[in-house]
Amino acid sequence: MHKLIYFIKKIYIPFLFLAVEVMAIYYYSTSTPYSQSRLSGLSYYLCGWSGSLFTKLGNYLSLEQDNVALNERIAELESLLSNYQTLYPQTVQTELDLSPNMYVPAKVVSKTLNRSVNYFVVNKGIDDNVRIGMSVLSPEGYAVGYITNCSQSFSIAVSLLSTSFKVSARLSDDRSMGTVYWSGGDIHTLQMSDISKYAVFEEGETVEAIDFSEYFPSGTILGTVESKQMNDEQTMFSCTLRIAADLSRIDNVILVDNREVEQVRILKQEPVASPTSMEPENEDTTN
């Protein structure tokens, strides 16, 4: 009882002040029509502001589900457009160089970034019509890697960040071709070599996969030119590329089954490389 009395003595002044404030606000709000309208408008504003805040918070928390749904829709539309172009090549006009492809959306469940040959694991496998050799693209359509092994529900893909990776590519404007590869170290850059000394290009030019790339559909963007230099013999250009896709933050991807790539591999007589193990070591499981 003494504690209750002591507690009341301690808080009665703030409590009394709060009660007087409530009475004053009530009196002010009912004193004139003008004050009633002002307080009514303020209450509507506060309700709208709080409702908007909670709506934005809910939208932010649902971004992951929205991204998954968006990727699935992108894959569905890409497949539909590709099929229509195959059936009606004279009717469907598009700037994209599409072949009869199948698109499968997937989520990256783990990845490596600190090895000489880096892999990432996606949550789609044989049961989802995924097979070895499928291209892996970012939701924006940038090159990410290619599938090298599959289980029923999961697949492993080797990323661009692998010293074993080499692909023929071209400058998008000049059309001069060269070889793109990763030399290790910087996870944001690639190297491009064997570019003709007569090529005319500047920093910022896009580099894309060529028609007979065995890893990516024609026109898939690999990166942009960051710097260029001539070799010691003054016969060829080489350059550093800024990778278009941020592989350190990649979360959702699209798997592309290019049904014509098998013909390219037969012509090159190079089998699809596969890792010795389905389980990468020292994974960076930030995703």
Side-chain angles (χ1 to χ4, degrees):
M1 186 67 179
H2 293 288
K3 290 184 178 180
L4 178 60
I5 295 174
Y6 175 76
F7 177 73
I8 293 175
K9 286 182 178 180
K10 191 173 182 180
I11 69 166
Y12 85 95
I13 294 179
F15 182 77
L16 182 61
F17 173 79
L18 182 62
V20 172
E21 283 292 318
V22 170
M23 292 175 61
I25 293 173
Y26 175 75
Y27 176 77
Y28 173 75
S29 65
T30 57
S31 59
T32 63
Y34 173 76
S35 60
Q36 290 179 7
S37 63
R38 288 293 302 272
L39 287 178
S40 177
L42 178 61
S43 65
Y44 290 148
Y45 170 78
L46 291 176
C47 289
W49 178 82
S50 60
S52 175
L53 179 63
F54 283 111
T55 299
K56 290 180 179 178
L57 180 61
N59 291 338
Y60 176 78
L61 295 176
S62 65
L63 281 178
E64 182 175 357
Q65 291 81 2
D66 292 343
N67 283 337
V68 172
L70 181 60
N71 276 345
E72 291 177 350
R73 184 59 176 163
I74 289 173
E76 179 183 348
L77 292 176
E78 291 280 15
S79 298
L80 185 62
L81 178 59
S82 180
N83 290 335
Y84 271 121
Q85 189 188 41
T86 303
L87 293 174
Y88 308 104
Q90 303 301 322
T91 304
V92 180
Q93 300 295 328
T94 174
E95 296 180 358
L96 298 176
D97 186 8
L98 294 173
S99 56
N101 298 329
M102 180 182 71
Y103 299 82
V104 179
K107 183 176 180 61
V108 177
V109 297
S110 67
K111 64 177 179 285
T112 65
L113 295 170
N114 56 356
R115 303 173 61 187
S116 60
V117 178
N118 290 289
Y119 298 94
F120 53 92
V121 181
V122 298
N123 66 343
K124 295 295 176 67
I126 297 173
D127 291 343
D128 305 290
N129 298 317
V130 177
R131 66 185 184 90
I132 292 174
M134 290 180 69
S135 307
V136 183
L137 309 181
S138 70
E140 298 83 8
Y142 302 145
V144 173
Y146 55 94
I147 299 296
T148 57
N149 211 340
C150 303
S151 66
Q152 296 303 122
S153 302
F154 295 90
S155 300
I156 285 183
V158 64
S159 76
L160 302 182
L161 305 178
S162 299
T163 52
S164 61
F165 168 78
K166 284 187 178 181
V167 63
S168 297
R170 67 187 171 211
L171 300 167
S172 58
D173 293 335
D174 184 80
R175 313 302 282 181
S176 295
M177 294 188 293
T179 301
V180 173
Y181 61 94
W182 187 57
S183 60
D186 190 353
I187 64 173
H188 299 292
T189 60
L190 298 171
Q191 304 301 316
M192 185 174 182
S193 61
D194 302 330
I195 307 171
S196 170
K197 68 176 182 179
Y198 301 108
V200 179
F201 64 101
E202 300 296 335
E203 295 179 7
E205 182 160 346
T206 301
V207 175
E208 61 187 20
I210 64 174
D211 297 344
F212 287 97
S213 168
E214 64 175 303
Y215 297 128
F216 305 109
S218 174
T220 301
I221 296 176
L222 297 167
T224 56
V225 176
E226 194 171 69
S227 63
K228 65 177 182 178
Q229 53 278 333
M230 185 76 76
N231 63 6
D232 295 337
E233 293 78 17
Q234 301 294 305
T235 57
M236 291 287 180
F237 274 115
S238 62
C239 60
T240 299
L241 309 181
R242 173 65 55 171
I243 300 177
D246 188 349
L247 301 181
S248 65
R249 302 178 62 183
I250 197 74
D251 188 35
N252 296 293
V253 293
I254 296 177
L255 313 182
V256 183
D257 185 8
N258 186 349
R259 297 184 177 96
E260 295 179 348
V261 76
E262 291 299 331
Q263 301 178 39
V264 177
R265 293 195 177 105
I266 291 173
L267 289 173
K268 291 186 175 183
Q269 295 182 348
E270 294 178 2
V272 177
S274 62
T276 57
S277 171
M278 276 287 294
E279 197 66 31
E281 299 175 4
N282 301 324
E283 289 183 348
D284 172 17
T285 55
T286 56
N287 283 309

